[in-house]
Amino acid sequence: MCDQQPITELLSGSRPLLSVEFFPPRNADAVDGLVAAAHKISACKPDFASVTYGAGGSTRDLSATVCKRMKDEVDLQVMPHFTCVGSTREELGEILDEFHSEGYRNIMALRGDPPQGEETFQSTEGGFSYASDLVAFIKDRYPDICQGVAGYPEKHPEAPSLDSDLDALKIKVDAGGSFITTQLFFDNAAFFRYVDRVRARGIDLPIVPGIMPVLALKQIKRITQLCQSRLPKTLEAELNKVESDPEAVRKIGVEWATRQILELIDQGVPGVHIYALNKAKSAVELMNAVRG
Ligand SMILES: Cc1cc2nc3c(=O)[nH]c(=O)nc-3n(C[C@H](O)[C@H](O)[C@H](O)COP(=O)(O)OP(=O)(O)OC[C@H]3O[C@@H](n4cnc5c(N)ncnc54)[C@H](O)[C@@H]3O)c2cc1C
């Protein structure tokens, strides 16, 4: 029996959705702490939660454990992420069958990042090279699954140009993507320009902006370097001024993200996806500020 509503249906409602992203911890002992954080966040009634898919081995198993515990123990609709990394087509099919039999009807379909310690993505022999291959595979096997795909307002780091990245997005969408969730960004102007360019390609799917509050300076510098999202000079200057005071950094980060979200909602986005970094306090502050 399955009661998961397709996210596209949720996105077409009258108020913008708020969703929250979690990532599986490195070891099983930390799952209880994550579930406790999810309980606190669920009190703010996000419309759904998503759980990232680890690059391999135990992290991957923990993704499934976290999804299941959030679905069964926390009052949250859960969308698992799913990547092509390290699996053959047959193995991907088996994992997908498990997702489906567990009742998930929304999946974020991705190529995936290279496993830790590896620089570039290598497709597995007998596996897939691009997210679009995975999207087509899922669509063929389970047409009832609603698939999210990733979009990059500031270009995917490996793409030679934003134009070629938009070509790749169009292929993913045509293969069966149902909505687009973006990479994190700190400058809404970059998102609005991106939406215009996506629309100019004839892509009319809902585009959900992904927002990450800055919670710690070192951490955000590492993350923005990896995903090549630009930290605006004004934000960086504000953060640098309070560098030695972690709580002041966090406050500035949450305030900036709140302003971003309020403007995005004001401009009519169908929803906002919060990269919560598994921290309840900031996610709760953000959601309360946005929902008023
Ligand atoms: C919302 C969101 C959630 C994420 N969740 C996870 C997660 O759970 N686990 C994880 O490991 N990573 C996750 N990531 C990171 C993501 O896996 C990486 O950004 C990865 O490098 C690219 O994934 P993709 O699905 O966008 O790949 P793709 O769409 O396949 O794109 C990868 C690169 O190949 C290019 N490309 C795509 N198709 C073609 C083609 N047909 N011909 C030529 N070039 C092409 C693109 O331009 C791009 O440069 C997430 C990212 C986002 C934005």
Side-chain angles (χ1 to χ4, degrees), residues 245-270:
D245 181 349
E247 177 55 16
V249 166
R250 194 194 69 81
K251 273 186 94 173
I252 288 173
V254 172
E255 280 164 15
W256 184 280
T258 303
R259 283 197 299 276
Q260 272 193 281
I261 296 175
L262 290 174
E263 188 194 22
L264 289 161
I265 289 177
D266 192 50
Q267 293 298 312
V269 295

PDB file of all heavy atoms in Angstrom, residues 245-270:
ATOM      1  N   ASP A 245      33.729  34.058  16.082  1.00  0.00           N
ATOM      2  CA  ASP A 245      32.531  33.841  16.897  1.00  0.00           C
ATOM      3  C   ASP A 245      31.553  32.935  16.125  1.00  0.00           C
ATOM      4  O   ASP A 245      30.731  33.415  15.331  1.00  0.00           O
ATOM      5  CB  ASP A 245      31.890  35.220  17.188  1.00  0.00           C
ATOM      6  CG  ASP A 245      30.649  35.097  18.046  1.00  0.00           C
ATOM      7  OD1 ASP A 245      30.151  33.963  18.253  1.00  0.00           O
ATOM      8  OD2 ASP A 245      30.161  36.154  18.501  1.00  0.00           O
ATOM      9  N   PRO A 246      31.641  31.609  16.331  1.00  0.00           N
ATOM     10  CA  PRO A 246      30.841  30.668  15.532  1.00  0.00           C
ATOM     11  C   PRO A 246      29.337  30.955  15.563  1.00  0.00           C
ATOM     12  O   PRO A 246      28.654  30.816  14.551  1.00  0.00           O
ATOM     13  CB  PRO A 246      31.133  29.306  16.175  1.00  0.00           C
ATOM     14  CG  PRO A 246      32.394  29.482  16.931  1.00  0.00           C
ATOM     15  CD  PRO A 246      32.490  30.926  17.317  1.00  0.00           C
ATOM     16  N   GLU A 247      28.830  31.402  16.724  1.00  0.00           N
ATOM     17  CA  GLU A 247      27.387  31.653  16.808  1.00  0.00           C
ATOM     18  C   GLU A 247      27.004  32.876  15.961  1.00  0.00           C
ATOM     19  O   GLU A 247      25.945  32.894  15.317  1.00  0.00           O
ATOM     20  CB  GLU A 247      26.966  31.833  18.281  1.00  0.00           C
ATOM     21  CG  GLU A 247      25.501  32.173  18.520  1.00  0.00           C
ATOM     22  CD  GLU A 247      24.480  31.179  17.907  1.00  0.00           C
ATOM     23  OE1 GLU A 247      24.856  30.050  17.541  1.00  0.00           O
ATOM     24  OE2 GLU A 247      23.299  31.583  17.786  1.00  0.00           O
ATOM     25  N   ALA A 248      27.885  33.880  15.937  1.00  0.00           N
ATOM     26  CA  ALA A 248      27.598  35.071  15.108  1.00  0.00           C
ATOM     27  C   ALA A 248      27.631  34.688  13.623  1.00  0.00           C
ATOM     28  O   ALA A 248      26.800  35.162  12.831  1.00  0.00           O
ATOM     29  CB  ALA A 248      28.622  36.168  15.409  1.00  0.00           C
ATOM     30  N   VAL A 249      28.565  33.813  13.252  1.00  0.00           N
ATOM     31  CA  VAL A 249      28.632  33.333  11.856  1.00  0.00           C
ATOM     32  C   VAL A 249      27.315  32.642  11.503  1.00  0.00           C
ATOM     33  O   VAL A 249      26.685  32.904  10.477  1.00  0.00           O
ATOM     34  CB  VAL A 249      29.824  32.352  11.668  1.00  0.00           C
ATOM     35  CG1 VAL A 249      29.707  31.590  10.356  1.00  0.00           C
ATOM     36  CG2 VAL A 249      31.152  33.089  11.749  1.00  0.00           C
ATOM     37  N   ARG A 250      26.878  31.751  12.383  1.00  0.00           N
ATOM     38  CA  ARG A 250      25.643  30.993  12.137  1.00  0.00           C
ATOM     39  C   ARG A 250      24.434  31.921  11.990  1.00  0.00           C
ATOM     40  O   ARG A 250      23.600  31.755  11.106  1.00  0.00           O
ATOM     41  CB  ARG A 250      25.423  29.997  13.287  1.00  0.00           C
ATOM     42  CG  ARG A 250      24.385  28.934  13.025  1.00  0.00           C
ATOM     43  CD  ARG A 250      23.993  28.218  14.308  1.00  0.00           C
ATOM     44  NE  ARG A 250      23.259  29.084  15.211  1.00  0.00           N
ATOM     45  CZ  ARG A 250      21.951  29.356  15.105  1.00  0.00           C
ATOM     46  NH1 ARG A 250      21.235  28.792  14.147  1.00  0.00           N
ATOM     47  NH2 ARG A 250      21.347  30.179  15.948  1.00  0.00           N
ATOM     48  N   LYS A 251      24.388  32.937  12.864  1.00  0.00           N
ATOM     49  CA  LYS A 251      23.245  33.863  12.815  1.00  0.00           C
ATOM     50  C   LYS A 251      23.198  34.618  11.485  1.00  0.00           C
ATOM     51  O   LYS A 251      22.146  34.775  10.867  1.00  0.00           O
ATOM     52  CB  LYS A 251      23.325  34.870  13.971  1.00  0.00           C
ATOM     53  CG  LYS A 251      22.675  34.358  15.236  1.00  0.00           C
ATOM     54  CD  LYS A 251      22.623  35.402  16.309  1.00  0.00           C
ATOM     55  CE  LYS A 251      21.300  36.139  16.286  1.00  0.00           C
ATOM     56  NZ  LYS A 251      21.149  37.047  17.420  1.00  0.00           N
ATOM     57  N   ILE A 252      24.384  35.085  11.068  1.00  0.00           N
ATOM     58  CA  ILE A 252      24.438  35.811   9.784  1.00  0.00           C
ATOM     59  C   ILE A 252      24.008  34.870   8.650  1.00  0.00           C
ATOM     60  O   ILE A 252      23.260  35.252   7.750  1.00  0.00           O
ATOM     61  CB  ILE A 252      25.871  36.365   9.539  1.00  0.00           C
ATOM     62  CG1 ILE A 252      26.138  37.522  10.493  1.00  0.00           C
ATOM     63  CG2 ILE A 252      26.055  36.800   8.085  1.00  0.00           C
ATOM     64  CD1 ILE A 252      27.563  38.034  10.474  1.00  0.00           C
ATOM     65  N   GLY A 253      24.474  33.614   8.732  1.00  0.00           N
ATOM     66  CA  GLY A 253      24.120  32.638   7.693  1.00  0.00           C
ATOM     67  C   GLY A 253      22.617  32.408   7.620  1.00  0.00           C
ATOM     68  O   GLY A 253      22.028  32.376   6.530  1.00  0.00           O
ATOM     69  N   VAL A 254      21.975  32.249   8.775  1.00  0.00           N
ATOM     70  CA  VAL A 254      20.531  31.986   8.796  1.00  0.00           C
ATOM     71  C   VAL A 254      19.759  33.227   8.329  1.00  0.00           C
ATOM     72  O   VAL A 254      18.781  33.123   7.577  1.00  0.00           O
ATOM     73  CB  VAL A 254      20.072  31.528  10.206  1.00  0.00           C
ATOM     74  CG1 VAL A 254      18.552  31.445  10.299  1.00  0.00           C
ATOM     75  CG2 VAL A 254      20.685  30.167  10.536  1.00  0.00           C
ATOM     76  N   GLU A 255      20.238  34.415   8.740  1.00  0.00           N
ATOM     77  CA  GLU A 255      19.542  35.648   8.312  1.00  0.00           C
ATOM     78  C   GLU A 255      19.631  35.818   6.790  1.00  0.00           C
ATOM     79  O   GLU A 255      18.661  36.175   6.133  1.00  0.00           O
ATOM     80  CB  GLU A 255      20.157  36.872   9.007  1.00  0.00           C
ATOM     81  CG  GLU A 255      19.630  37.033  10.432  1.00  0.00           C
ATOM     82  CD  GLU A 255      20.483  37.981  11.280  1.00  0.00           C
ATOM     83  OE1 GLU A 255      21.314  38.742  10.708  1.00  0.00           O
ATOM     84  OE2 GLU A 255      20.330  37.942  12.507  1.00  0.00           O
ATOM     85  N   TRP A 256      20.816  35.548   6.236  1.00  0.00           N
ATOM     86  CA  TRP A 256      21.001  35.685   4.781  1.00  0.00           C
ATOM     87  C   TRP A 256      20.068  34.706   4.055  1.00  0.00           C
ATOM     88  O   TRP A 256      19.364  35.078   3.103  1.00  0.00           O
ATOM     89  CB  TRP A 256      22.465  35.418   4.404  1.00  0.00           C
ATOM     90  CG  TRP A 256      22.771  35.623   2.943  1.00  0.00           C
ATOM     91  CD1 TRP A 256      22.517  34.735   1.940  1.00  0.00           C
ATOM     92  CD2 TRP A 256      23.350  36.774   2.328  1.00  0.00           C
ATOM     93  NE1 TRP A 256      22.916  35.256   0.734  1.00  0.00           N
ATOM     94  CE2 TRP A 256      23.429  36.511   0.944  1.00  0.00           C
ATOM     95  CE3 TRP A 256      23.819  37.998   2.808  1.00  0.00           C
ATOM     96  CZ2 TRP A 256      23.962  37.428   0.029  1.00  0.00           C
ATOM     97  CZ3 TRP A 256      24.354  38.912   1.894  1.00  0.00           C
ATOM     98  CH2 TRP A 256      24.415  38.626   0.538  1.00  0.00           C
ATOM     99  N   ALA A 257      20.057  33.447   4.509  1.00  0.00           N
ATOM    100  CA  ALA A 257      19.215  32.432   3.861  1.00  0.00           C
ATOM    101  C   ALA A 257      17.735  32.805   3.982  1.00  0.00           C
ATOM    102  O   ALA A 257      16.952  32.613   3.048  1.00  0.00           O
ATOM    103  CB  ALA A 257      19.472  31.063   4.488  1.00  0.00           C
ATOM    104  N   THR A 258      17.347  33.362   5.131  1.00  0.00           N
ATOM    105  CA  THR A 258      15.942  33.768   5.316  1.00  0.00           C
ATOM    106  C   THR A 258      15.571  34.839   4.295  1.00  0.00           C
ATOM    107  O   THR A 258      14.525  34.751   3.635  1.00  0.00           O
ATOM    108  CB  THR A 258      15.719  34.318   6.749  1.00  0.00           C
ATOM    109  OG1 THR A 258      16.117  33.326   7.682  1.00  0.00           O
ATOM    110  CG2 THR A 258      14.264  34.685   6.988  1.00  0.00           C
ATOM    111  N   ARG A 259      16.470  35.839   4.132  1.00  0.00           N
ATOM    112  CA  ARG A 259      16.180  36.905   3.158  1.00  0.00           C
ATOM    113  C   ARG A 259      16.090  36.328   1.745  1.00  0.00           C
ATOM    114  O   ARG A 259      15.210  36.695   0.975  1.00  0.00           O
ATOM    115  CB  ARG A 259      17.264  38.002   3.220  1.00  0.00           C
ATOM    116  CG  ARG A 259      17.111  38.935   4.426  1.00  0.00           C
ATOM    117  CD  ARG A 259      17.903  40.220   4.233  1.00  0.00           C
ATOM    118  NE  ARG A 259      19.333  39.994   4.086  1.00  0.00           N
ATOM    119  CZ  ARG A 259      20.191  39.849   5.113  1.00  0.00           C
ATOM    120  NH1 ARG A 259      19.752  39.903   6.354  1.00  0.00           N
ATOM    121  NH2 ARG A 259      21.478  39.661   4.889  1.00  0.00           N
ATOM    122  N   GLN A 260      16.994  35.403   1.442  1.00  0.00           N
ATOM    123  CA  GLN A 260      16.948  34.771   0.107  1.00  0.00           C
ATOM    124  C   GLN A 260      15.607  34.085  -0.120  1.00  0.00           C
ATOM    125  O   GLN A 260      14.966  34.261  -1.148  1.00  0.00           O
ATOM    126  CB  GLN A 260      18.038  33.689   0.012  1.00  0.00           C
ATOM    127  CG  GLN A 260      19.389  34.172  -0.457  1.00  0.00           C
ATOM    128  CD  GLN A 260      20.270  32.969  -0.812  1.00  0.00           C
ATOM    129  OE1 GLN A 260      20.814  32.330   0.081  1.00  0.00           O
ATOM    130  NE2 GLN A 260      20.395  32.659  -2.094  1.00  0.00           N
ATOM    131  N   ILE A 261      15.189  33.294   0.873  1.00  0.00           N
ATOM    132  CA  ILE A 261      13.960  32.505   0.705  1.00  0.00           C
ATOM    133  C   ILE A 261      12.737  33.415   0.582  1.00  0.00           C
ATOM    134  O   ILE A 261      11.863  33.194  -0.260  1.00  0.00           O
ATOM    135  CB  ILE A 261      13.787  31.499   1.866  1.00  0.00           C
ATOM    136  CG1 ILE A 261      14.929  30.478   1.839  1.00  0.00           C
ATOM    137  CG2 ILE A 261      12.443  30.788   1.784  1.00  0.00           C
ATOM    138  CD1 ILE A 261      14.944  29.499   3.003  1.00  0.00           C
ATOM    139  N   LEU A 262      12.695  34.449   1.416  1.00  0.00           N
ATOM    140  CA  LEU A 262      11.535  35.343   1.364  1.00  0.00           C
ATOM    141  C   LEU A 262      11.439  36.008  -0.008  1.00  0.00           C
ATOM    142  O   LEU A 262      10.352  36.126  -0.582  1.00  0.00           O
ATOM    143  CB  LEU A 262      11.598  36.388   2.483  1.00  0.00           C
ATOM    144  CG  LEU A 262      11.386  35.813   3.895  1.00  0.00           C
ATOM    145  CD1 LEU A 262      11.602  36.887   4.966  1.00  0.00           C
ATOM    146  CD2 LEU A 262       9.982  35.208   4.049  1.00  0.00           C
ATOM    147  N   GLU A 263      12.583  36.412  -0.563  1.00  0.00           N
ATOM    148  CA  GLU A 263      12.545  37.039  -1.895  1.00  0.00           C
ATOM    149  C   GLU A 263      12.126  36.026  -2.965  1.00  0.00           C
ATOM    150  O   GLU A 263      11.330  36.331  -3.861  1.00  0.00           O
ATOM    151  CB  GLU A 263      13.918  37.637  -2.253  1.00  0.00           C
ATOM    152  CG  GLU A 263      13.811  38.449  -3.537  1.00  0.00           C
ATOM    153  CD  GLU A 263      15.146  38.823  -4.189  1.00  0.00           C
ATOM    154  OE1 GLU A 263      16.168  38.152  -3.922  1.00  0.00           O
ATOM    155  OE2 GLU A 263      15.159  39.772  -4.977  1.00  0.00           O
ATOM    156  N   LEU A 264      12.655  34.802  -2.864  1.00  0.00           N
ATOM    157  CA  LEU A 264      12.313  33.775  -3.853  1.00  0.00           C
ATOM    158  C   LEU A 264      10.812  33.482  -3.828  1.00  0.00           C
ATOM    159  O   LEU A 264      10.165  33.376  -4.872  1.00  0.00           O
ATOM    160  CB  LEU A 264      13.107  32.490  -3.564  1.00  0.00           C
ATOM    161  CG  LEU A 264      14.610  32.577  -3.865  1.00  0.00           C
ATOM    162  CD1 LEU A 264      15.382  31.478  -3.142  1.00  0.00           C
ATOM    163  CD2 LEU A 264      14.860  32.495  -5.375  1.00  0.00           C
ATOM    164  N   ILE A 265      10.271  33.386  -2.627  1.00  0.00           N
ATOM    165  CA  ILE A 265       8.830  33.109  -2.499  1.00  0.00           C
ATOM    166  C   ILE A 265       8.032  34.282  -3.050  1.00  0.00           C
ATOM    167  O   ILE A 265       7.048  34.111  -3.779  1.00  0.00           O
ATOM    168  CB  ILE A 265       8.467  32.800  -1.026  1.00  0.00           C
ATOM    169  CG1 ILE A 265       9.045  31.427  -0.650  1.00  0.00           C
ATOM    170  CG2 ILE A 265       6.959  32.821  -0.807  1.00  0.00           C
ATOM    171  CD1 ILE A 265       8.844  31.008   0.788  1.00  0.00           C
ATOM    172  N   ASP A 266       8.509  35.481  -2.729  1.00  0.00           N
ATOM    173  CA  ASP A 266       7.841  36.682  -3.233  1.00  0.00           C
ATOM    174  C   ASP A 266       7.818  36.691  -4.770  1.00  0.00           C
ATOM    175  O   ASP A 266       6.882  37.182  -5.381  1.00  0.00           O
ATOM    176  CB  ASP A 266       8.604  37.898  -2.684  1.00  0.00           C
ATOM    177  CG  ASP A 266       7.837  39.168  -2.889  1.00  0.00           C
ATOM    178  OD1 ASP A 266       6.650  39.172  -2.532  1.00  0.00           O
ATOM    179  OD2 ASP A 266       8.415  40.137  -3.439  1.00  0.00           O
ATOM    180  N   GLN A 267       8.858  36.130  -5.367  1.00  0.00           N
ATOM    181  CA  GLN A 267       8.942  36.108  -6.835  1.00  0.00           C
ATOM    182  C   GLN A 267       8.234  34.887  -7.432  1.00  0.00           C
ATOM    183  O   GLN A 267       8.307  34.649  -8.630  1.00  0.00           O
ATOM    184  CB  GLN A 267      10.416  36.107  -7.277  1.00  0.00           C
ATOM    185  CG  GLN A 267      11.165  37.391  -6.959  1.00  0.00           C
ATOM    186  CD  GLN A 267      10.580  38.605  -7.676  1.00  0.00           C
ATOM    187  OE1 GLN A 267      10.325  38.556  -8.869  1.00  0.00           O
ATOM    188  NE2 GLN A 267      10.311  39.666  -6.934  1.00  0.00           N
ATOM    189  N   GLY A 268       7.605  34.083  -6.575  1.00  0.00           N
ATOM    190  CA  GLY A 268       6.711  33.041  -7.095  1.00  0.00           C
ATOM    191  C   GLY A 268       7.305  31.660  -7.310  1.00  0.00           C
ATOM    192  O   GLY A 268       6.750  30.862  -8.070  1.00  0.00           O
ATOM    193  N   VAL A 269       8.420  31.326  -6.628  1.00  0.00           N
ATOM    194  CA  VAL A 269       8.952  29.959  -6.796  1.00  0.00           C
ATOM    195  C   VAL A 269       7.940  28.936  -6.237  1.00  0.00           C
ATOM    196  O   VAL A 269       7.193  29.249  -5.312  1.00  0.00           O
ATOM    197  CB  VAL A 269      10.330  29.770  -6.092  1.00  0.00           C
ATOM    198  CG1 VAL A 269      11.392  30.629  -6.726  1.00  0.00           C
ATOM    199  CG2 VAL A 269      10.234  30.007  -4.593  1.00  0.00           C
ATOM    200  N   PRO A 270       7.922  27.717  -6.827  1.00  0.00           N
ATOM    201  CA  PRO A 270       6.926  26.732  -6.357  1.00  0.00           C
ATOM    202  C   PRO A 270       7.298  26.083  -5.028  1.00  0.00           C
ATOM    203  O   PRO A 270       6.476  25.406  -4.407  1.00  0.00           O
ATOM    204  CB  PRO A 270       6.936  25.683  -7.474  1.00  0.00           C
ATOM    205  CG  PRO A 270       8.304  25.784  -8.083  1.00  0.00           C
ATOM    206  CD  PRO A 270       8.724  27.221  -7.951  1.00  0.00           C
TER     207      PRO A 270
END
